[in-house]
Amino acid sequence: MKVRPTLIRRSIAAALAGVMIAATALPMTALPAMAQQSRGPDSVADLAQGLLDAVVNISTSQTVKSDGNENLVPMPKLPEGSPFQDFFDEFFKNREGGEGGQGGPNNSPQKVQSLGSGFVIDAGEGIVVTNNHVIDGADEIEVNFNDGGKLKAKLIGVDKKTDIAVLQIDSKARNLTAVKFGNSAAMRIGDWVMAVGNPFGFGGTVTVGIISARNRDINSGPYDDFIQTDAAINRGNSGGPLFNMAGEVIGINTAIVSPTGGSIGLGFSIPSQLASGVVDQLRQFGETRRGWLGVRIQPVTDEIAESLGMKEAKGALIAGIIKGGPVDNGTLQAGDVVTEFDGKPIKDMRDLPRVVADSPVGKAVAVKIVRKGVEQVVQVTLGRLEDSEKEPVVETSGSSPEKPALATATALGMTLGELDDAARTKFGIAKEISGVVIGEVAGNSAAAEKGVLAGEVITEIAQESVSTPQQVIDRIKVLKDQGRKNALLMLASKTGELRFVTVRID
């Protein structure tokens, strides 16, 4: 069984491996009340019996070439005249390919096999859903049923961003049992769920637990919104369904956190609310067709909210505009904060990519933004995300007209200078970038605390373009006079990547 790195988020496991959790004893007065409560469903036998035939094991094979030298143990050094010398000579000669190192078994193509899980969602069409990482790179895909039957499967489409794959089998070859997607949005923390899958190659395994948390971001992709469950999920469960107590699929089991490789009660499932739309597009088009806004975003921190005159930190801050994108016409601008998209509230940065991606390509939508402290609504027309992934370039904000000013200045712990040819050469700054270059950053300054680096370029302060050190000094003075505690800087890297930082004004 091939171990897929996406099954275990090692970065998370490493962070949790040394954490010890202490149990807190409940007072005796709490025990009678707890004893009266249900400890869960009395049985899930009837539910499981009706669902087992719809859950399948996915077996894949992939042909890989070997150079005959991977993971080989070197020949041991034996005492002269050892009776085992001839044996080891023959063994290692054959392992390395015989005479001349050619033609041995380790030089031949080898088949690598992998096991996972999946489930039938359309019996008439023979549609099976699983994880992309279960079938990634496979030469052959076979679907194994609970009764021992097997069918070859063909790949309909995959979406790597959500780790979903859709397969098709011959629906006329056998009677199929299908399940349907439920509404994951209706599920609550504490609701009972049941996982069915193929852990460690043991097919038809049923485990029960609860929803431990929702909206989990485990840094696996741009649309992370996982359901967390303590129902036992192990290697081989990937691609299997997570059912509610009505027998509806409300999640696709995808990842676990584990320092050991086995279940420790931290499993993650793709919510059906996200998965069902992806599956529909893969069935219809063989690919995804997501909406695309054409912006770069970052979180709205408390400091940024204060700098923009917002009462609370919410929404997604636009840090840059993609050149040639749908809003590269001035509709949206760097520094805007998106608080609502097509009637859906944007509470934090992660909400915006998911809502935009779920919107149809070419749709005209209303976007509520905060621009320079004023709330307004703009109309945008979405492009297609898949068409955008071709070396996007960040559009930097235009500079204000040059005027006689200081050649250098010091502010907020930064030494500032004009962005002339000498500065561009020294720091490798692209020609299309305009603003004020940061020559040095004092080690104990407010700017250093926020990760500001020498060689970065200040393009805006408080959403006003700057092009000279004098303009930076003037803008900071205005902010001080207004009683602002922080200065919002838009910084450009040497290649034009934009980001916002808030620096404390002393």
Side-chain angles (χ1 to χ4, degrees):
M1 178 172 58
K2 183 168 63 176
V3 178
R4 302 282 185 174
T6 47
L7 293 177
I8 305 174
R9 309 299 178 190
R10 293 181 178 176
S11 60
I12 305 176
L16 298 178
V19 178
M20 298 187 67
I21 302 175
T24 303
L26 290 172
M28 293 300 293
T29 55
L31 292 177
M34 289 188 65
Q36 295 175 6
Q37 296 177 1
S38 170
R39 297 178 60 87
D42 292 335
S43 173
V44 294
D46 291 339
L47 180 64
Q49 185 177 8
L51 299 175
L52 278 171
D53 288 340
V55 182
V56 299
N57 301 336
I58 307 294
S59 174
T60 68
S61 63
Q62 180 180 2
T63 302
V64 297
K65 292 183 179 180
S66 173
D67 59 7
N69 295 314
E70 297 177 353
N71 303 316
L72 297 184
V73 178
M75 180 173 175
K77 294 182 179 180
L78 302 174
E80 186 175 353
S82 170
F84 298 104
Q85 186 69 51
D86 292 341
F87 170 78
F88 279 108
D89 284 345
E90 184 67 22
F91 173 79
F92 278 89
K93 181 181 71 174
N94 289 338
R95 187 190 68 171
E96 293 167 2
E99 296 295 332
Q102 302 291 331
N106 287 300
N107 286 87
S108 304
Q110 299 180 15
K111 288 241 178 187
V112 177
Q113 294 190 332
S114 175
L115 294 175
S117 304
F119 54 97
V120 180
I121 61 167
D122 188 329
E125 297 292 330
I127 302 299
V128 176
V129 175
T130 185
N131 280 146
N132 172 62
H133 74 256
V134 170
I135 54 85
D136 187 30
D139 298 322
E140 297 180 356
I141 305 172
E142 190 173 65
V143 171
N144 304 284
F145 295 89
N146 189 48
D147 62 4
K150 300 179 181 180
L151 288 176
K152 296 292 185 182
K154 69 176 182 178
L155 183 62
I156 299 298
V158 302
D159 178 38
K160 294 183 178 180
K161 289 185 174 65
T162 56
D163 195 19
I164 292 175
V166 175
L167 312 175
Q168 187 171 34
I169 55 179
D170 185 1
S171 60
K172 298 179 181 179
R174 60 173 292 140
N175 292 325
L176 299 175
T177 300
V179 290
K180 64 179 181 178
F181 282 116
N183 182 11
S184 59
M187 301 298 294
R188 301 180 302 165
I189 295 173
D191 280 344
W192 286 93
V193 288
M194 182 177 72
V196 184
N198 181 39
F200 296 104
F202 295 103
T205 299
V206 176
T207 57
V208 176
I210 63 169
I211 292 180
S212 306
R214 296 184 55 187
N215 307 117
R216 288 298 196 207
D217 181 1
I218 62 175
N219 298 312
S220 69
Y223 309 117
D224 277 17
D225 189 26
F226 287 95
I227 295 171
Q228 179 183 328
T229 179
D230 67 351
I233 297 174
N234 291 283
R235 293 175 180 172
N237 271 108
S238 284
L242 187 70
F243 292 106
N244 60 17
M245 291 296 100
E248 299 169 325
V249 179
I250 52 89
I252 302 175
N253 301 322
T254 297
I256 63 173
V257 171
S258 173
T260 63
S263 173
I264 60 170
L266 284 172
F268 300 93
S269 303
I270 304 167
S272 60
Q273 190 176 20
L274 172 63
S276 59
V278 173
V279 170
D280 288 344
Q281 288 195 357
L282 293 178
R283 292 183 64 180
Q284 184 175 357
F285 307 114
E287 61 183 359
T288 55
R289 298 184 179 182
R290 293 188 172 94
W292 178 51
L293 196 55
V295 297
R296 299 189 188 279
I297 59 175
Q298 69 180 69
V300 178
T301 63
D302 291 334
E303 294 86 353
I304 288 177
E306 189 272 339
S307 299
L308 296 174
M310 298 176 62
K311 295 181 180 179
E312 60 176 319
K314 64 177 183 178
L317 175 64
I318 296 178
I321 306 296
I322 306 298
K323 191 172 184 179
V327 296
D328 185 23
N329 54 8
T331 307
L332 294 178
Q333 301 173 9
D336 290 345
V337 176
V338 179
T339 58
E340 187 178 292
F341 185 89
D342 199 21
K344 303 177 182 66
I346 306 300
K347 297 180 180 179
D348 58 46
M349 181 190 71
R350 293 195 303 127
D351 292 338
L352 185 60
R354 290 197 296 263
V355 173
V356 172
D358 287 341
S359 302
V361 176
K363 182 179 181 180
V365 298
V367 182
K368 185 180 292 185
I369 63 172
V370 176
R371 177 177 295 168
K372 297 183 179 180
V374 179
E375 189 173 80
Q376 55 185 284
V377 177
V378 297
Q379 297 289 327
V380 302
T381 301
L382 297 180
R384 182 182 174 190
L385 177 63
E386 288 75 13
D387 293 337
S388 72
E389 297 167 347
K390 302 172 183 177
E391 302 181 6
V393 179
V394 176
E395 176 75 7
T396 59
S397 57
S399 61
S400 56
E402 293 287 345
K403 64 179 181 180
L406 296 174
T408 61
T410 301
L412 307 179
M414 301 176 291
T415 301
L416 309 173
E418 293 183 348
L419 187 53
D420 53 20
D421 291 340
R424 292 184 190 277
T425 301
K426 179 179 179 180
F427 294 108
I429 299 170
K431 292 182 178 180
E432 63 270 16
I433 299 172
S434 60
V436 179
V437 67
I438 302 170
E440 296 179 1
V441 180
N444 59 349
S445 65
E449 291 176 0
K450 291 305 179 79
V452 178
L453 303 173
E456 291 187 298
V457 176
I458 301 175
T459 63
E460 289 184 5
I461 296 183
Q463 298 184 288
E464 294 289 339
S465 299
V466 292
S467 58
T468 67
Q470 181 64 58
Q471 290 178 353
V472 174
I473 299 298
D474 293 343
R475 288 298 299 154
I476 293 175
K477 183 179 183 301
V478 169
L479 294 176
K480 284 184 177 180
D481 293 342
Q482 293 175 347
R484 297 289 182 92
K485 297 178 181 179
N486 299 284
L488 179 65
L489 310 182
M490 184 163 75
L491 303 178
S493 69
K494 64 181 180 180
T495 59
E497 293 287 340
L498 298 179
R499 68 185 179 108
F500 283 94
V501 298
T502 53
V503 181
R504 188 178 69 256
I505 300 176
D506 294 323

